[in-house]
Amino acid sequence: MNSKIWLSSPHMGGTELSYIHVAFDTNWVAPLGPNVDNFEKDITAFLKEDVHVAALSSGTAALHLALVLAGVQAGDEVICQSMTFSASANPIAYLGATPVFVDSEAETMNMSPALLEQAIQDRIAIGKTPKAIIPVHLYGMPAKINEIQAIADKYGIAVIEDAAEALGSYVDGKMCGTYGVISALSFNGNKIITTSGGGALVAHSKELAQKATFLATQARDAAPHYEHSHIGYNYRMSNICAGIGRGQMEVLAQRVEQRRAIYNKYYDKMKNLKGVSFVDEPAGYFSNRWLTTILIDPASGITRETLRLALEQDNIESRPLWKPMHMQPIFAEAPFYGDGTSERLFRDGLCLPSGSNLTDADFERIFKVIDAVFA
Ligand SMILES: *Cc1c(COP(=O)(O)O)cnc(C)c1O
């Protein structure tokens, strides 16, 4: 059996261990410490804006705290992009609130502004003004975030940006991770950079970021004993994980270039194949191309499953696009506003191996399978 080719695996830059060594030498194994402070500074500098960053244990934790800070409570409704990873929606349920799912538009595969407005008007009409809106930048492609923000502003609803897949992406020069009131980043193992597991909350207001770190460290009030006037969480990133993060930040710009080069490689290889299409960047949009995705029109006689199974035969991992949340058994009862777009994207879409550590030999194997399937 050939060795496994992964969809997206960790890719160290080389200096990560040196930051961890310093943490060991100074016994900053815990808690928090200089790697966390400097990792947060590195992220702030990368985002090129006056934002405040709190390094956390995961992107899911960042979304959970963002909803807490937005005042979401049991019984509230929160609008969420339907086509996404479940971690975008689960924190809504953690709080006893109800997700209201909105379909995607085909141009970016993310939340449709038109359907968003329809959903808001409909919820307001039944007396349920949504507490927040969670758009996602899937696979690194920015959502129509300016249009979404304008609609949110019109109705006075907070935007919580799920930028877990989009570190390094931007629209008109403004980085993903700096939109909305609060943004969530992820450094999970398969993301464009990783801390083995981790995430960050990004806020424009210093006060919000401070509240986030307060809640993330068990909400301890100022007192010599342990005093609590809020429910707290244990969501901070460790100084060891942050050491990996500092090394990864040194190569982030390079990783974006590498992922984009991989996208171009697939594009050149497959653009003329019958039934295959790609999602281009709209004018002013820049995607980090975290994962290269293609759509295969089943009318061509080949489906995304044909290709996925052929790749699997050769021990090559590929994956259907995210199955929309409104199609998931756990969210079957949740309200949904859609026009069939995400269902079609799920039916036709496939994520191809996109790790920045893929070798030429890996691509030879992948392309051989593609040639055989489309011959
Ligand atoms: C990875 C991811 C998350 C969650 O991040 P974790 O760090 O794995 O908790 C949330 N939303 C999206 C869209 C993601 O891809």
Side-chain angles (χ1 to χ4, degrees):
M1 189 66 151
N2 275 326
S3 62
K4 174 122 179 174
I5 296 178
W6 299 95
L7 191 66
S8 178
S9 68
H11 186 188
M12 293 299 103
T15 63
E16 290 83 359
L17 264 180
S18 66
Y19 291 107
I20 293 176
H21 270 297
V22 174
F24 271 69
D25 291 345
T26 56
N27 203 29
W28 271 117
V29 172
L32 296 165
N35 280 337
V36 174
D37 296 341
N38 287 305
F39 183 44
E40 290 173 346
K41 279 188 197 141
D42 292 346
I43 296 169
T44 307
F46 184 83
L47 293 176
K48 295 189 292 191
E49 243 171 83
D50 185 19
V51 288
H52 303 270
V53 175
L56 300 175
S57 53
S58 72
T60 310
L63 288 165
H64 189 186
L65 289 184
L67 291 170
V68 171
L69 292 170
V72 174
Q73 294 180 341
D76 286 341
E77 290 192 348
V78 174
I79 290 182
C80 183
Q81 183 166 319
S82 181
M83 191 160 116
T84 185
F85 179 43
S86 64
S88 308
N90 284 337
I92 302 168
Y94 298 168
L95 292 167
T98 303
V100 173
F101 292 114
V102 169
D103 213 340
S104 291
E105 37 76 19
E107 222 185 346
T108 72
M109 305 204 293
N110 296 307
M111 183 180 279
S112 156
L115 290 168
L116 167 65
E117 184 153 28
Q118 192 186 314
I120 294 172
Q121 288 176 350
D122 198 56
R123 302 324 284 177
I124 289 175
I126 58 166
K128 283 264 175 197
T129 304
K131 263 289 172 67
I133 301 167
I134 307 178
V136 191
H137 311 294
L138 287 186
Y139 309 113
M141 179 65 82
K144 297 201 169 175
I145 193 70
N146 290 315
E147 292 84 340
I148 291 168
Q149 187 67 59
I151 293 165
D153 290 345
K154 183 169 157 190
Y155 294 93
I157 306 171
V159 170
I160 292 172
E161 181 195 22
D162 182 345
E165 302 180 3
L167 187 57
S169 302
Y170 54 82
V171 179
D172 297 330
K174 185 173 162 63
M175 305 295 270
C176 291
T178 66
Y179 288 92
V181 189
I182 299 179
S183 308
L185 302 174
S186 169
F187 310 109
N188 191 39
N190 60 355
K191 297 285 158 53
I192 191 155
I193 59 165
T194 183
T195 58
S196 79
L201 179 147
V202 184
H204 283 275
S205 124
K206 190 170 183 181
E207 194 201 338
L208 271 185
Q210 280 171 343
K211 270 193 196 162
T213 51
F214 167 75
L215 293 173
T217 46
Q218 307 287 22
R220 284 155 54 185
D221 295 340
H225 57 274
Y226 278 26
E227 178 85 6
H228 303 282
S229 49
H230 291 270
I231 295 293
Y233 305 86
N234 184 3
Y235 276 172
R236 266 305 227 167
M237 180 179 279
S238 84
N239 200 48
I240 300 297
C241 291
I244 305 178
R246 288 182 76 187
Q248 290 274 276
M249 285 306 291
E250 292 176 11
V251 291
L252 174 55
Q254 190 188 336
R255 295 291 177 263
V256 173
E257 287 308 307
Q258 289 166 322
R259 298 260 178 175
R260 288 176 61 84
I262 286 167
Y263 175 89
N264 289 334
K265 210 179 263 205
Y266 282 119
Y267 184 82
D268 291 342
K269 174 82 188 166
M270 303 184 80
K271 63 177 189 281
N272 292 325
L273 294 178
K274 198 168 135 240
V276 173
S277 60
F278 286 79
V279 180
D280 295 326
E281 290 162 323
Y285 279 54
F286 182 93
S287 169
N288 68 10
R289 295 292 186 193
W290 170 54
L291 295 184
T292 294
T293 62
I294 56 164
L295 299 170
I296 305 179
D297 182 353
S300 67
I302 293 169
T303 68
R304 61 115 155 117
E305 271 308 272
T306 323
L307 180 57
R308 190 187 69 77
L309 291 169
L311 289 165
E312 191 175 79
Q313 277 291 314
D314 195 37
N315 210 16
I316 300 166
E317 185 182 29
S318 66
R319 193 176 296 158
L321 301 196
W322 299 120
K323 182 176 179 178
M325 290 303 115
H326 74 274
M327 298 172 76
Q328 300 285 356
I330 189 66
F331 292 124
E333 305 298 317
F336 169 63
Y337 295 84
D339 62 9
T341 300
S342 64
E343 287 172 30
R344 177 180 61 79
L345 293 171
F346 173 61
R347 183 194 67 192
D348 297 348
L350 192 68
C351 303
L352 298 170
S354 304
S356 44
N357 48 8
L358 289 174
T359 64
D360 288 345
D362 292 335
F363 274 104
E364 257 173 52
R365 272 174 61 194
I366 296 165
F367 285 178
K368 212 170 128 189
V369 174
I370 291 171
D371 285 337
V373 167
F374 287 92

